[in-house]
Amino acid sequence: MLGEYDSIACFSIGRRSTATQVQQVYNKLQKYDVIICGIHTIRIPESLALRQLAAKKELVYAFFTLPYACKEYKKSIEKAKAVVLAYEGTPLAQEYAAQVIFGGIAAKRGNFRFQFRGLYYAGTGIFTEKTRLGYHQPEEVGANPDRLDVIESIVKEGLDEKAYPGCQVLVAKDGMIIYNKSFGYFDYESRQPVTEASVYDLASASKAAGTLLAVMKAYDEKKFTLNNKISDFIPELKESNKKDLSIKELLYHQSGVTPTINFYLDAIDKDSYKGSLYSSAKNATHPVRFDAKTYVRNDFKYLPDIVSDTRKPGFTTEVARNFYVSDSFKDTILQDIKKSRLGTRGRYVYSCVNFIMLKMMVENLMRSPMDQLLRDDFYSGLGAWHTTYNPLKRMDTLQIVPTEQDGFVRRQLLRGYVHDEAAAFQGGVSGNAGLFSNANDLAKVLQLMLNQGTYGGERYLSLETSRLFTQSKSPTCRRGLGFDKPVIGNPKASPCGALAPASVYGHTGFTGTCFWVDPDNQLIYIFLSNRVNPSRANNKLGSLDIRTRIQDAIYKAIDRKSQKDS
């Protein structure tokens, strides 16, 4: 349970542990700032090592024994940061002790009925507040568990129809996670089951869970206004058709900017093939399926002054395994954006390029790479250590769910490398995609938004900024400031379930992901899958309405405020 809140390393000392083994554990603990020590038996006496740890580190005790054991640890308790008395070592006692320590549940003032001279008096104890997500039963928030079971039947329908090989579904209400389950496998070979720790490519959900947080941080620090022009912060755009575009237009996707740009075309040697890269039909020249309507050739070559199969000076931007582009390619990307066509301003056209520019703006304003800014200012403090760009730098490959078997651009199975090509050619960190996470970690980020800028007793964003970005809506289309929103009264045109109220905000992702935050009902819904495995041509997730049907099932399971109420 501690691991649900942060990255935890576990060590143990038993009754039969030798002095040497105790010292080895003590030595390993020296690199940690906080030590949480569970006492499960009174037969292990307080050691000198524990006293030294209490004097040097933040030591938190959790006693899963009768309170009398405390007096045996008097010297280290006197220096400890906190002491939790759980009284018994049952699984529930351990789970709730972990939640109390991290603020997942509040601690009522302890009624300590005993007096230990020089340590505690009868009645000793403190109140603590709930500051983080807790893990609870549906009944505790008034949800009907039988109706929540409908989620599993919808998920299994998708599995049976091969809409995706596996997925995670999470529901949190009133700051309590009441449903967090994993289904299926990493791929259709069914060798590795999905678990709560499995990490997915969020695709375009990265826009709202990543880039938008950085934008909000910069706005909070008064680095820009919504009416500022993007060219104020990306000077290269001043001599382009994008010079007058406002930040607000980019966030609402009403800038007229082209939906996407295939940056990889600049890296291809056009003399290495004849004819077209693409075809509407499969043939000998175009044997690889790209999407539902397109086939591609894969016999072209890349320009050697742009692409390298090894990392070397000048080629440190990693696109995929054994695939690097020149570090100067970022200038090519900016020039492509500068030269790209501009459509009708004020009309809603969803564009990844909008958010690529917003990422560039944030990095120029904050003088920091966006992934580092997000990790330092948000994810680390939230305990969302699975939430990261370029996850292979932070975790084992086997923890990461594979996406597509890319037979076109990267010619390999993508696992731990971002699926989106535009993000890949930026080294995996882009405004439009690149973020990886699991449902449990993503819930922490979303609870921060639902709490209007606070989590874990800390304020990350001001109340004013949080309200502005989560409550604003374009007057002419469904979009919010960076978030997607429901289409009220027209479920077929809406990305949400029919029962979602107008206040809901969130985002979907191309790889088969979505999240929705509902402030009216204090509700979070997350669905993560890799529907693009092995091919993006599979769109059964959309045709079966899996994500929206699950969302409606959640609303039917809770006492809710619905669209009708709104």
Side-chain angles (χ1 to χ4, degrees), residues 280-500:
S280 59
K282 185 177 181 178
N283 53 51
T285 307
H286 303 88
V288 177
R289 190 170 190 176
F290 182 63
D291 58 30
K293 299 180 180 179
T294 311
Y295 290 85
V296 294
R297 65 192 307 151
N298 62 355
D299 59 346
F300 61 85
K301 295 180 180 179
Y302 288 104
L303 294 165
D305 60 335
I306 295 179
V307 173
S308 171
D309 59 5
T310 59
R311 183 185 177 93
K312 59 186 180 182
F315 290 82
T316 63
T317 304
E318 190 173 17
V319 175
R321 187 180 66 254
N322 301 325
F323 193 140
Y324 299 85
V325 294
S326 167
D327 294 340
S328 62
F329 194 74
K330 63 179 183 294
D331 299 323
T332 301
I333 289 174
L334 186 52
Q335 288 302 310
D336 282 349
I337 294 173
K338 180 179 177 180
K339 294 182 295 184
S340 64
R341 66 177 177 82
L342 190 67
T344 304
R345 288 176 64 180
R347 190 167 68 109
Y348 168 50
V349 176
Y350 179 80
S351 171
C352 287
V353 182
N354 285 332
F355 271 72
I356 293 174
M357 289 190 286
L358 288 169
K359 179 254 188 182
M360 294 176 177
M361 177 192 80
V362 166
E363 292 189 332
N364 288 343
L365 287 173
M366 305 300 278
R367 301 183 183 278
S368 171
M370 187 176 72
D371 55 335
Q372 181 179 324
L373 183 153
L374 289 168
R375 183 171 61 249
D376 294 346
D377 289 354
F378 292 98
Y379 304 144
S380 293
L382 295 172
W385 67 280
H386 297 93
T387 307
T388 183
Y389 297 84
N390 292 318
L392 292 173
K393 296 179 179 179
R394 296 173 60 84
M395 63 189 74
D396 191 282
T397 310
L398 294 176
Q399 197 172 356
I400 307 167
V401 180
T403 53
E404 187 174 20
Q405 180 66 51
D406 180 4
F408 177 41
V409 177
R410 287 154 288 187
R411 302 168 186 173
Q412 60 186 266
L413 174 66
L414 300 174
R415 187 169 190 175
Y417 294 101
V418 61
H419 177 263
D420 181 85
E421 292 90 355
F425 275 76
Q426 295 173 74
V429 184
S430 178
N432 71 306
L435 197 61
F436 287 71
S437 188
N438 57 29
N440 187 68
D441 262 22
L442 183 55
K444 300 170 187 177
V445 178
L446 303 184
Q447 191 66 43
L448 163 71
M449 297 176 181
L450 191 54
N451 292 348
Q452 298 186 332
T454 66
Y455 190 81
E458 297 183 28
R459 181 159 289 283
Y460 291 82
L461 294 166
S462 71
L463 179 63
E464 295 75 19
T465 295
S466 299
R467 285 178 173 172
L468 174 65
F469 279 83
T470 60
Q471 296 180 10
S472 295
K473 182 182 179 297
S474 167
T476 58
C477 76
R478 75 168 193 255
R479 303 295 300 205
L481 282 174
F483 292 107
D484 204 353
K485 294 186 71 68
V487 178
I488 304 302
N490 188 1
K492 290 185 178 180
S494 179
C496 297
L499 298 178

